[in-house]
Amino acid sequence: QVQLVESGGGLVHPGGSLRLSCAASGSIFSITGMGWFRQAPGKQRELVATITSSGSTNYADSVKGRFTISTDNAKKTMYLQMSSLKPEDTAVYYCRANFVVDPTADSATYWGQGIQVTVSA
């Protein structure tokens, strides 16, 4: 019922920009945290950026100053604005969110399906 759907990926030249979107659907009682992960070929999945319900953000050192995470609560959508992209940013990007669906229970983790970002000349 609760689902995260990513969009906005694709191919971009080094130095270019992309904006990823992650839209949530379904009945959600509250959101306790959201973020983006990525996994490059042959490498471990890593944290890219997080944002709390209060608006606090955190970034991996490798993307700090180049990526910006944000949310539009009215649209139930999270964004990752990526600028000054480098070939090493090439990866499958995953949206992750912690939702409380049942107010009597703890939050649960939900993942998007993953979306490809390729940075290449």
Side-chain angles (χ1 to χ4, degrees):
Q1 196 70 20
V2 176
Q3 189 176 3
L4 298 175
V5 179
E6 296 142 322
S7 62
L11 175 65
V12 66
H13 295 310
S17 299
L18 283 175
R19 188 179 74 164
L20 303 182
S21 298
C22 175
S25 63
S27 181
I28 300 171
F29 180 77
S30 66
I31 302 172
T32 59
M34 301 185 73
W36 292 92
F37 287 70
R38 68 185 182 186
Q39 188 166 20
K43 295 187 178 296
Q44 189 173 339
R45 187 174 297 186
E46 64 176 349
L47 175 68
V48 176
T50 61
I51 186 167
T52 69
S53 58
S54 64
S56 297
T57 58
N58 195 21
Y59 298 91
D61 288 340
S62 59
V63 308
K64 193 172 298 182
R66 300 187 297 118
F67 290 12
T68 302
I69 187 172
S70 63
T71 59
D72 185 332
N73 292 332
K75 296 181 178 179
K76 297 182 180 180
T77 302
M78 178 178 65
Y79 304 97
L80 184 68
Q81 177 66 51
M82 304 182 293
S83 301
S84 302
L85 283 162
K86 305 174 181 179
E88 51 262 45
D89 294 319
T90 296
V92 175
Y93 284 70
Y94 296 89
C95 173
R96 189 185 77 172
N98 294 325
F99 295 139
V100 176
V101 177
D102 181 352
T104 66
D106 292 336
S107 65
T109 299
Y110 295 83
W111 291 87
Q113 80 282 1
I115 189 164
Q116 179 70 47
V117 171
T118 302
V119 184
S120 175

